[in-house]
Amino acid sequence: MMDNKQWGNGAPPRDDAAGRDGADGFAPQGAEAAFRAMVEIMNEGAAILIDGLIVYCNARLAALLGVPLDQLVGKSLLRFIGPDAHAGLAAILAAARAGASRNEVLFVNGAGAGLPLQMSVTAVEIEACPALCVLLSDRSEHVFKQLQLASSVYESSSEAMIVTDERNLILSVNPAFTKITGYAPDEVIGRKPSVLGSGRQEPGFYRDMWDALNARGNWCGEIWNRRKDGEVYVEWLTINVIASHGAPYRYVALFSDITEKKKTEKLVWTQANFDALTQLPNRRLFADRLAQGIKRATRAGTNLALLLIDLDFFKEVNDTYGHLVGDDLLVDAAARITACLRESDTVARLGGDEFAVILPDIVDLRHVAGVARALLAALAKQYTLGEVSANISASIGAALYPADSRDPVTLLKNADQAMYQSKADGRNRFCYFSAALEERSVRRAHLIRDLHTALPEQAFELYFQPVVDLRSGRLVKAEALLRWHHPQRGTVLPAEFIGVLEETGLIVEVGDWVFREALRCGRRWSDLLGRPFKIGVNVSPVQLLSEAHAGRWQEQMRAAGVGGDGVMIEITEGVLLMDKPNVRAALGAFRQAGVELSLDDFGTGYSSLSYLNQFNLDYLKIDQSFIHNLAPGSRDLALSKAIIVMAHELGMRVIGEGIETEAQRDLLLGAGCDYGQGYWFSRPLPAAEFEILLAGQAAQLGSCRT
């Protein structure tokens, strides 16, 4: 065995041969010097042990242990370790011989004080002799700093912290705990955290919590607790178990007050899912409830009904009395709908004046009809809205699951179709979805699709129907009428597609084309006759709502070289009822340009005498429904006479529409009617045929019946 005293000066022993070639031994001379230099500048204490004795150490080790360097070499490491750690050190050294080992060991310094050091041991071989390389570092300062940091976090954290013992008695709390709960440390230390209990949690809640703590060693979740002043709040709580020897030793709980966060989340969720005005579920939440209702009905094998409700004449109330009154009406309507339903039913506001109702567990269709009738009756009762009273009604469409559809989106579409049928049937009624409605909807979809291509494909054509002076029989003007030559269906009359053009907004573009064509034909025929020839052009309310409409048409008149005496604007009573500023402005612009205004289909709408006077009309057309049954002594003749007298008193001239017989013409002439229009004079004709008729003039009009 080597003489350990050779290491006493801090230099490892070596024989001359090893020092010469470095084949074995500790290290060749250059390597030894480098090793010694490296070891001497290390922050860790370093030692080489052979048979448990220190044969080499650096100055850092002497400083750590507080023992002079010359008193360490040749000594057993056990002299510097507390007696209680001897057995542990022996185990560490034994383990290191099989591989590196790292542990914390309690050393005793030169003053006899305990000194926890981190010890790393690695097995090495020196001159074919097994040895151990030991590195020691002072962990006490690091641990102290960690404890300082932990204490700082504990004291300054915004999260409340509680430490309890194995019996779950509170050992300590931090300042954030006092700030959140209102309890000072001396008021809770020694008590259980249940001092904060709110009573809101079910017993099973705490059972599940302890099951998780025992099984996983941690738990987190929301819990309702109570502050010292009695206020209940919600917190996010995290509990971790610190174990010792396999058993719980400490419980560390961290929590934060999330009451305001929960309020904000609830507000955001409410705003996203409920209508702000009526507090009913909105379209988003309704869609979810409908989907869930269908799933439950599928599992239970039951039926479900969907009602779609649209308020009739709500727009008129809203436009007449203002949005505040309109909002009050919607709130009242929502309350009336809710009062007609069961707790298990759902009512939602989908937007505007449209509501939806989900009726689950339908056994008998009579229940659906009963609810619909109750809703119609409730919504038709007079509304008292502050100082205003209003009357409206409702149109309701019903679709059934699974009979009408198993898909929520399709079910809603079907109910919507049924609702529109209720409106078409006269409003204030309900209608079930049917296959016929589906076919009608498909046809309408195809109609919309084809209308989008009709103008580019030049499928529209203008026809012209003469307007005749009843006294002279002379053709004095004409009305331009639109025809659509469909590639498969042939000629389609306006009654079938004008409404669709208005709903889709295509009426603006198509209307501009009609106006240009009418101007072109009017200019040609004025040149043919040598005098202005007036053509009446029908204008939709939708067109008049466009602020640029009147200016655009006047520009077209200037471009075509047609003055105000070459065109007449024909409006319906619906335009008068709108009475909007931009509509009045558009009509006023036409009047300033010298264009005359005619009121079409008079007697079929709801216009009043005040409207007739305010809009300063030039012509009034008696609707053909009055003309059809004209006979001496008939009520229709009496009404026609009254209309003619009234119009003349207001400075308007009268045109009788739909004249088909000589007798009708004579009765109107006798009643003082100014002009006539109808099949007795001529059917509507394409431009080329009308031009031939115009050239022949009025003398032969009476014989042009076809």
Side-chain angles (χ1 to χ4, degrees), residues 259-271:
T259 306
E260 291 304 317
K261 178 184 177 184
K262 295 295 290 184
K263 288 180 180 178
T264 301
E265 289 176 350
K266 183 179 180 181
L267 176 61
V268 171
W269 186 86
T270 299
Q271 291 175 338

Side-chain angles (χ1 to χ4, degrees), residues 129 145 202 281 392 404 447 498 703:
C129 179
K145 289 181 178 179
E202 297 291 334
I392 64 169
D404 295 330
L447 191 68
I498 289 295
S703 61

Side-chain angles (χ1 to χ4, degrees), residues 100-154:
S101 176
R102 184 180 179 89
N103 295 87
E104 188 171 294
V105 179
L106 183 63
F107 282 75
V108 178
N109 64 15
L115 179 65
L117 296 177
Q118 189 74 33
M119 184 170 72
S120 299
V121 185
T122 305
V124 297
E125 189 175 284
I126 298 176
E127 296 182 353
C129 179
L132 295 174
C133 179
V134 178
L135 295 178
L136 299 174
S137 58
D138 185 359
R139 304 295 294 168
S140 59
E141 183 179 355
H142 177 69
V143 171
F144 176 73
K145 289 181 178 179
Q146 284 187 321
L147 291 174
Q148 274 190 320
L149 178 61
S151 176
S152 175
V153 171
Y154 187 74

Side-chain angles (χ1 to χ4, degrees), residues 388-641:
V388 173
S389 294
N391 290 90
I392 64 169
S393 59
S395 298
I396 301 177
L400 306 175
Y401 170 87
D404 295 330
S405 178
R406 295 178 176 270
D407 173 64
V409 175
T410 305
L411 197 68
L412 181 61
K413 177 178 71 72
N414 293 344
D416 189 60
Q417 291 178 14
M419 182 271 292
Y420 274 106
Q421 185 59 43
S422 295
K423 283 192 175 295
D425 289 343
R427 299 185 173 92
N428 194 27
R429 65 194 65 226
F430 82 96
C431 176
Y432 286 109
F433 171 77
S434 66
L437 290 180
E438 176 68 12
E439 293 174 4
R440 191 176 307 166
S441 175
V442 170
R443 286 199 304 270
R444 187 174 183 276
H446 290 166
L447 191 68
I448 293 174
R449 179 199 63 196
D450 295 343
L451 280 171
H452 274 87
T453 61
L455 194 58
E457 293 178 355
Q458 300 181 350
F460 288 122
E461 182 182 5
L462 279 191
Y463 277 46
F464 299 87
Q465 187 170 33
V467 176
V468 177
D469 185 322
L470 291 180
R471 291 182 178 82
S472 66
R474 188 167 61 92
L475 193 163
V476 292
K477 55 178 67 72
E479 180 181 1
L481 300 169
L482 185 61
R483 296 293 184 265
W484 176 23
H485 300 301
H486 193 278
Q488 285 81 41
R489 300 174 55 191
T491 301
V492 183
L493 297 179
E496 189 171 348
F497 64 84
I498 289 295
V500 179
L501 287 176
E502 291 178 329
E503 291 173 22
T504 58
L506 291 171
I507 190 67
V508 175
E509 183 180 5
V510 173
D512 285 351
W513 177 85
V514 169
F515 194 70
R516 288 194 303 271
E517 282 294 296
L519 292 178
R520 184 181 64 81
C521 292
R523 174 59 187 269
R524 174 180 173 81
W525 295 333
S526 295
D527 292 343
L528 177 66
L529 296 174
R531 58 177 174 80
F533 183 78
K534 195 182 299 292
I535 296 181
V537 179
N538 293 282
V539 181
S540 163
V542 177
Q543 293 170 271
L544 291 175
L545 287 174
S546 172
E547 294 183 0
H549 175 268
R552 189 167 62 247
W553 278 21
Q554 289 181 50
E555 179 61 34
Q556 292 174 7
M557 289 171 61
R558 286 191 290 271
V562 176
D565 55 357
V567 66
M568 178 173 68
I569 299 299
E570 300 197 14
I571 61 175
T572 62
E573 292 178 339
V575 173
L576 303 185
L577 287 173
M578 291 170 67
D579 194 18
K580 292 183 179 293
N582 49 340
V583 173
R584 282 182 171 272
L587 295 178
F590 282 127
R591 291 308 305 263
Q592 290 179 1
V595 176
E596 293 183 321
L597 301 179
S598 172
L599 179 62
D600 204 2
D601 302 330
F602 182 79
T604 60
Y606 304 94
S607 59
S608 66
L609 296 182
S610 62
Y611 282 129
L612 295 179
N613 190 43
Q614 291 173 26
F615 280 87
N616 194 21
L617 300 165
D618 299 288
Y619 296 91
L620 187 151
K621 283 190 169 185
I622 302 176
D623 186 71
Q624 59 185 345
S625 61
F626 293 96
I627 309 299
H628 182 69
N629 294 315
L630 276 184
S634 67
R635 293 175 59 87
D636 286 331
L637 180 58
L639 287 171
S640 297
K641 288 181 178 179

